[in-house]
Amino acid sequence: MCKRSLKMPIIVLIAVSSLLIGQGPARSTDHLDRPYDWTIEVQTQQLARRFDYPGSTLTSIVKAVIRYYPTADEGNRTDYESIWYNDGKALGLERLHGMGITQGEGVSLRIVPKTGHSSQQECKAAADLILRLTLDAYVNRNAMVTVRLADESFDRIIEEMLRNPHITRPTGGAEDPADAALSLFLQSESSDRREQLFYI
Amino acid sequence: MRISVQRNRRGSVLVLGCICFGFLALLTLIGCSFANLYFVCNRVQTSADEIALAGAHALNEHDQIGQMNNMIVRCRQLVYTSQQDYDNVVADYPHLQTLARELRDSDRQSATTLEGQRTLLRDLAIARAQVAMENKFNQIKPSYSMVLPWARTDMSALIQFRFGRLAGTESNVGELAGVSELASIDHTRGYIQAAAGSMGLSRYRQGIDAKLPDANSDLSFNVSSLAAPVSATVSPARITQAGAFAVVLPGTQIPSAVQVKVTLNVATGIGPHGSGHIVALGTAATTGGDRQL
């Protein structure tokens, strides 16, 4: 009598457990990998033979083309703006569309060099772009969740950012500014390098 | 008696023939001299055109004027949007005020730097064009020197060259309409030349200082006249009609056209001495702007 009454509940328990084990891991990986709804992608390119005349100080022109797209739909890119830089300082801007990112949603910034390798001027421009686009996102009521940088330029961009007297690394102690204006989370594309910086 | 009269008649025909021949030769010579003067007039005009073209070509080397115009307009949009961000941040995110102010001040500094570079380029372009015109003149001048018993010509120094633009040519920069408030300001203040027809592009007017409103009205954004590309075709440096030339005041916009006056001194050496000048005016416009940055 006892064996017959226990057999069915055990079978049901095993069936339900197998369903739960099959479903769980896939869902949790998606959530952890992409905690942002939108991606702002920046492509940098150093331009040659611009303003090439004697006495010119505009000798290191970098063009940054900025687009955004829903992270789940990479093909649906919208042109946002282009910014031109000279020696790391913004020189000109051409906005093509307003920032059509849904307010309140998380954003990731991704900076890639067009040629696959960033020049030093592109790294300087990237340092400014991170601050500038983070500010744009905040004004549009979006949180900048993470900044992704190419592996080959990760260290150089961090170095350029740290030249800004307002930017500092956390020290891991009580000295870390609790009232920093911005907290920036940077990671390399391969995700093996991570850095947190503060703008104070 | 009869024989002596016949001898006198044969002798007078020969002399008459020589006199007539000499007279015809003289007429031919005078005719050739006038014809030569006519051709020299045309040649002087051609030379004036060549000198103007050399100067015009040197004004916009490697599309420097075109690039400068494009960047000035984009710098203006940069400063405007930075100010917008700063104003928004002050109201809604005061803890980000330092960052917004840093970016805005940096962008304002870029505008000042760019204006300095524009004036440098302007002076450089003018100097370059002057050198090109003088070199061309010195190359052409020796070919005009002629000393003959009946005529003498020589080309004096370039009397005058002027820098300007082509009347009716606006800037090469297409309207930036991505920031609607700024686009509205541009139209209200008359900074935009509306497109002619449905296929054209609206462009920023030439000779304007496209000031920004309010806090950044101290910055200058000077836009110069330059032919815009048409269907990706850049207009080459070219000769134009003298009437199409408009002077650009020194110290203002970068010129995109030149006009030169060349004088040839002419004198005659036979009979009553006479002298005069042949004057030619050459006008040329520089290479048009290339595609946007």
Side-chain angles (χ1 to χ4, degrees):
Chain A
M1 187 74 173
C2 285
K3 281 183 187 176
R4 199 178 277 180
S5 67
L6 282 174
K7 193 175 180 181
M8 193 46 103
I10 290 170
I11 292 170
V12 170
L13 186 63
I14 291 169
V16 171
S17 299
S18 66
L19 280 173
L20 287 172
I21 289 166
Q23 295 281 338
R27 279 198 189 127
S28 62
T29 300
D30 271 354
H31 177 72
L32 287 174
D33 284 352
R34 291 183 176 178
Y36 42 84
D37 305 289
W38 295 82
T39 299
I40 299 175
E41 183 179 85
V42 182
Q43 189 178 71
T44 60
Q45 180 187 11
Q46 179 137 13
L47 303 180
R49 296 205 307 175
R50 297 296 196 273
F51 305 103
D52 185 16
Y53 51 84
S56 171
T57 57
L58 308 175
T59 54
S60 308
I61 302 296
V62 168
K63 182 178 180 181
V65 177
I66 301 153
R67 301 183 178 95
Y68 59 82
Y69 54 89
T71 303
D73 185 9
E74 284 196 34
N76 187 14
R77 282 176 160 80
T78 302
D79 292 328
Y80 177 46
E81 63 188 14
S82 293
I83 303 180
W84 287 263
Y85 283 86
N86 178 54
D87 197 30
K89 295 193 183 305
L91 189 62
L93 177 148
E94 180 178 353
R95 185 158 292 169
L96 302 167
H97 295 102
M99 185 172 274
I101 293 175
T102 310
Q103 292 185 353
E105 295 191 342
V107 171
S108 167
L109 176 62
R110 181 170 179 249
I111 301 179
V112 293
K114 185 173 183 179
T115 61
H117 176 78
S118 300
S119 64
Q120 196 57 32
Q121 293 302 324
E122 287 175 76
C123 291
K124 288 183 177 181
D128 183 272
L129 279 160
I130 290 167
L131 295 176
R132 197 173 288 269
L133 291 171
T134 301
L135 184 68
D136 274 3
Y138 264 94
V139 169
N140 197 54
R141 304 187 193 284
N142 298 109
M144 186 66 75
V145 174
T146 183
V147 178
R148 289 178 291 155
L149 306 173
D151 291 359
E152 53 87 26
S153 54
F154 184 84
D155 289 330
R156 289 184 290 149
I157 293 172
I158 298 289
E159 189 181 319
E160 290 297 336
M161 291 195 74
L162 287 170
R163 291 185 199 279
N164 186 325
H166 293 287
I167 292 182
T168 182
R169 274 191 169 112
T171 56
E175 297 82 18
D176 282 350
D179 58 347
L182 275 181
S183 185
L184 298 163
F185 297 94
L186 299 98
Q187 67 182 75
S188 61
E189 281 288 358
S190 61
S191 299
D192 63 346
R193 304 285 309 282
R194 292 170 193 264
E195 185 87 48
Q196 183 185 12
L197 298 175
F198 294 118
Y199 185 96
I200 56 173
Chain B
M1 194 84 141
R2 245 193 213 169
I3 294 169
S4 64
V5 169
Q6 279 176 350
R7 278 183 190 152
N8 287 338
R9 279 182 189 162
R10 280 201 296 273
S12 66
V13 167
L14 186 62
V15 169
L16 262 174
C18 290
I19 291 169
C20 286
F21 179 76
F23 185 67
L24 278 172
L26 183 65
L27 281 178
T28 305
L29 204 63
I30 294 170
C32 286
S33 297
F34 275 106
N36 188 46
L37 269 177
Y38 176 78
F39 287 117
V40 165
C41 279
N42 282 339
R43 199 170 149 228
V44 171
Q45 180 61 55
T46 302
S47 295
D49 290 343
E50 281 182 33
I51 294 168
L53 195 60
H57 208 277
L59 279 176
N60 190 27
E61 281 185 6
H62 307 302
D63 193 33
Q64 288 158 1
I65 302 176
Q67 290 175 12
M68 183 60 73
N69 270 349
N70 272 305
M71 192 59 78
I72 285 169
V73 170
R74 281 155 180 78
C75 185
R76 181 170 177 268
Q77 185 161 111
L78 174 73
V79 174
Y80 184 83
T81 54
S82 285
Q83 185 65 49
Q84 270 190 326
D85 283 349
Y86 178 77
D87 294 341
N88 288 332
V89 155
V90 164
D92 298 332
Y93 301 101
H95 65 287
L96 293 174
Q97 199 171 334
T98 303
L99 173 59
R101 187 189 303 117
E102 178 189 346
L103 293 174
R104 185 205 58 188
D105 290 351
S106 172
D107 298 341
R108 281 175 53 85
Q109 181 57 48
S110 288
T112 303
T113 299
L114 196 60
E115 173 59 16
Q117 286 295 298
R118 187 196 68 84
T119 59
L120 174 68
L121 177 61
R122 180 193 63 212
D123 296 342
L124 184 69
I126 289 170
R128 210 162 50 193
Q130 284 177 339
V131 168
M133 286 189 288
E134 283 167 2
N135 286 344
K136 192 67 180 176
F137 173 77
N138 290 332
Q139 188 185 341
I140 289 172
K141 184 178 172 182
S143 66
Y144 279 95
S145 293
M146 179 177 71
V147 179
L148 293 170
W150 55 86
R152 188 172 65 245
T153 61
D154 83 277
M155 193 172 269
S156 61
L158 279 175
I159 286 182
Q160 182 184 22
F161 46 75
R162 303 192 295 175
F163 291 97
R165 60 180 177 85
L166 287 190
T169 300
E170 303 297 346
S171 83
N172 61 307
V173 185
E175 180 187 8
L176 302 184
V179 180
S180 54
E181 302 92 335
L182 188 58
S184 178
I185 290 169
D186 288 349
H187 279 273
T188 303
R189 293 187 176 188
Y191 292 156
I192 302 292
Q193 171 67 47
S198 59
M199 299 299 291
L201 284 175
S202 298
R203 302 204 171 269
Y204 283 88
R205 291 187 184 276
Q206 60 78 29
I208 58 169
D209 181 358
K211 294 281 191 189
L212 284 170
D214 305 328
N216 298 298
S217 58
D218 59 317
L219 299 172
S220 290
F221 300 95
N222 289 289
V223 181
S224 303
S225 169
L226 191 69
V230 176
S231 302
T233 302
V234 175
S235 56
R238 59 218 180 272
I239 307 296
T240 65
Q241 300 273 1
F245 181 82
V247 172
V248 155
L249 295 175
T252 58
Q253 62 174 297
I254 306 174
S256 54
V258 299
Q259 191 170 70
V260 301
K261 185 188 283 185
V262 173
T263 300
L264 182 71
N265 302 320
V266 180
T268 60
I270 289 179
H273 289 269
S275 64
H277 310 281
I278 298 173
V279 179
L281 206 60
T283 309
T286 191
T287 313
D290 205 335
R291 65 183 187 279
Q292 313 272 357
L293 291 169

